[in-house]
């Protein structure tokens, strides 16, 4: 059994390992090529996060999904480059919105060059992704456009917040389906679609990707509270500082409203205060790290990962399917 890709994913078959490793290496070359510009400064800014590394979670899914068709089909690697470029572009924009200082263990683009350059660099990456996408055909363009609409809609819904009477947890999970689940689902869809897999297989893998994407983000929510900068490559508690209520916070508020325990109400009040103060921010992080709401958020992540695993049941048994099942465990294992 060999470990490849992010999260220590285990692959049992040497041929599958070779295909995945070769595919990811080709994606890396494609990313560097796609982020080159005749203007050296643009190249530097566009390759800033590419060279910082990253999990390459979405390209890995493209490679595994392609195993259900022809993994050597010419559109497989370009489609993986498209989804990773799209993901990277959203990171540039997210860091501006969140005023994040660190991304992937390096200064965020907005910290290094300012908000305007960061936003425009994200736009540049979207443009390059679109150029590659155009060569994959109108169906690929349509799939990506629909996913991008969902992604932006999720971001807008997060910014707007739940409407009156809407359960905040349900609203948040809908947001994640758009913000994260949509692009992870497209990664699986592109891998299967460009490899010529049967349409039924394409749909199954898309459903898997949607659920896995939500599980992935929920695990990230937990990590944002539990990890340190060296482990996550990001500043811990960024969402807390910005007043963004991720699932652990929402579960805390739900529990406080239901039980009315003084310690829960006090922690809610702390979270609603000005957490730009470092001491108050550290106090909130420390309290959340030992609160039952964090365990509830972990269980939510596991539930979505199990739904992703169940979605794979119609597929034939093979090493690629086993790897996708193992990925369900690997994604939530990061959250403890």
């Amino acid at each position: 059994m060999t470990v490849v890709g992010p999260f220590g994913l285990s692959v049992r078959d040497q041929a599958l390992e070779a295909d995945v490793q070769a595919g990811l290496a080709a994606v890396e070359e494609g990313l560097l090529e796609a982020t080159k510009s005749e203007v050296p400064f643009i190249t530097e800014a566009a390759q800033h996060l590419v060279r910082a590394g990253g999990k390459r979670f979405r390209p890995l899914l493209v490679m595994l999904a392609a195993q259900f068709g022809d993994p050597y089909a010419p559109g497989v690697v370009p489609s993986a480059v498209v989804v990773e470029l799209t993901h990277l572009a959203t990171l540039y924009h997210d860091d501006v919105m969140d005023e994040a200082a660190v991304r992937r263990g390096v200064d965020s683009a907005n910290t290094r060059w300012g908000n305007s350059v960061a936003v425009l660099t994200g736009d540049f990456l979207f443009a390059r992704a679109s150029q590659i996408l155009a060569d994959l055909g109108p169906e690929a363009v349509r799939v990506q456009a629909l996913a991008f609409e969902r992604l932006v809609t999720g971001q807008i819904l997060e910014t707007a917040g739940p409407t009156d009477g809407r359960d905040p947890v349900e609203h948040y999970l809908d947001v994640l389906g758009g913000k994260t689940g949509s692009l992870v689902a497209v990664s699986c869809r592109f891998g299967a679609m460009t490899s010529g897999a049967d349409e039924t297989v394409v749909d199954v893998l898309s459903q898997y990707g949607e659920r896995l994407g939500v599980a992935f983000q929920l695990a990230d929510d937990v990590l944002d509270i539990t990890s340190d900068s060296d482990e996550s490559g990001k500043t811990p508690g960024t969402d807390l500082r910005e007043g963004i209520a991720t699932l652990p916070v929402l579960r805390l508020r739900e529990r406080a409203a239901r039980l009315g325990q003084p310690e829960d109400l006090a922690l809610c009040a702390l979270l609603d205060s000005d957490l730009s103060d470092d001491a108050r921010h550290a106090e909130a992080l420390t309290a959340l790290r030992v609160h039952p709401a964090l365990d509830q958020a972990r269980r939510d992540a596991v539930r979505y990962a199990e739904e992703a695993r169940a979605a794979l049941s119609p597929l034939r048994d093979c090493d690629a399917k086993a790897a996708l099942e193992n990925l369900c465990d690997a994604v939530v294992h990061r959250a403890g």
Side-chain angles (χ1 to χ4, degrees), residues 12 43 94 132 135-136 157 169 211-212 234 281 283:
R12 296 180 301 190
T43 301
D94 282 352
I132 299 169
D135 292 332
L136 296 177
L157 288 175
V169 170
R211 289 160 176 78
L212 187 70
K234 297 183 288 187
H281 180 258
E283 181 184 354

Side-chain angles (χ1 to χ4, degrees), residues 14-101:
Q14 288 186 345
L16 174 59
E17 179 205 351
D19 283 348
V20 170
Q21 295 283 23
L24 291 176
V27 169
E28 212 63 31
E29 292 179 9
L31 288 170
L32 290 174
E33 185 62 32
T35 49
K36 287 180 182 176
S37 168
E38 294 179 356
V39 181
F41 175 69
I42 295 177
T43 301
E44 181 186 5
Q47 292 187 349
H48 180 61
L49 289 184
V50 174
R51 294 188 181 279
K55 306 176 189 71
R56 303 296 188 253
F57 176 54
R58 292 155 189 81
L60 173 65
L61 287 169
V62 174
M63 297 304 141
L64 290 174
Q67 293 292 321
F68 294 88
D70 175 11
Y72 312 111
V76 173
V77 168
S79 72
V81 173
V82 165
V83 294
E84 188 65 11
L85 283 175
T86 303
H87 172 58
L88 288 170
T90 65
L91 297 185
Y92 281 83
H93 288 179
D94 282 352
D95 285 346
V96 171
M97 295 180 66
D98 299 341
E99 299 180 3

